[in-house]
Amino acid sequence: QLAAQGVTTYTLGSSLAVSAHGTVDFYYVGKEAGYRNVFSANGGALSYNTGFTPTFQNYFGSPISIGSMDVAAGSVLGFGFCAYNGRNSLVGCLTNAQNDARGINSFQSIALNVTETVAWILWDDSGAGPDDNHDDMLIRAVFRPRAVSEPGTLALVGLGLLGVGFARRLRK
């Protein structure tokens, strides 16, 4: 199903960042894991918990919205994952920023497939060992850029408004 979405490869050992101001919308798409995995973003303000069962969840047809967060140009996105075993004990957590040092056969890692405005964030909780299949929790992030007015543009708009006000005053 990932291949049908255009996801045929992914990158390991890097972090996800944005190059422009905007908003990122996060969606839960599914999992194939016996662990309970938790995705959180924006300092914990956004969160999704897969629960332990069922071990396979598929929401490709209707992804579950986790929420949105505003981001600044050049920032590394603030998100991460935590995994809990069948005894509900924390196995480990990993943030996007920490993922830079991860590679093949890492214990817990985040894989990324990124296009211009969509990133697939694929979590490997290492419940079956370092299998690097990255299907333990699937998140889709959609970036919506936001235009930021430049100071010169704001000055021109301000001058235009002053001109309109002055013209009205002259008419009176």
Side-chain angles (χ1 to χ4, degrees):
Q1 289 187 318
L2 280 171
Q5 302 293 319
V7 180
T8 56
T9 61
Y10 53 76
T11 302
L12 292 172
S14 61
S15 294
L16 185 60
V18 294
S19 59
H21 296 295
T23 301
V24 177
D25 303 313
F26 293 101
Y27 299 90
Y28 173 66
V29 182
K31 77 167 190 169
E32 184 179 68
Y35 279 0
R36 177 174 67 91
N37 290 302
V38 177
F39 171 83
S40 62
N42 201 17
L46 306 175
S47 182
Y48 190 83
N49 183 338
T50 65
F52 288 106
T53 59
T55 57
F56 178 77
Q57 297 173 0
N58 180 339
Y59 297 102
F60 277 88
S62 184
I64 298 170
S65 176
I66 299 170
S68 303
M69 75 177 187
D70 291 331
V71 293
S75 63
V76 173
L77 296 184
F79 68 82
F81 295 88
C82 289
Y84 298 85
N85 66 20
R87 293 178 304 279
N88 209 21
S89 298
L90 178 65
V91 175
C93 297
L94 182 68
T95 67
N96 178 39
Q98 292 168 327
N99 196 52
D100 263 347
R102 301 294 172 135
I104 294 175
N105 294 322
S106 292
F107 178 75
Q108 298 182 331
S109 59
I110 301 167
L112 303 169
N113 175 283
V114 182
T115 61
E116 276 188 37
T117 58
V118 176
W120 286 90
I121 305 169
L122 314 168
W123 169 239
D124 181 25
D125 63 18
S126 293
D131 55 10
D132 283 336
N133 62 2
H134 293 88
D135 61 358
D136 297 325
M137 189 171 192
L138 310 174
I139 302 293
R140 187 179 73 193
V142 179
F143 177 68
R144 293 180 287 127
R146 181 176 59 248
V148 176
S149 298
E150 295 182 27
T153 305
L154 289 174
L156 286 174
V157 170
L159 284 173
L161 291 173
L162 283 174
V164 169
F166 184 69
R168 278 195 179 159
R169 197 170 201 180
L170 286 177
R171 284 188 190 160
K172 288 184 181 180

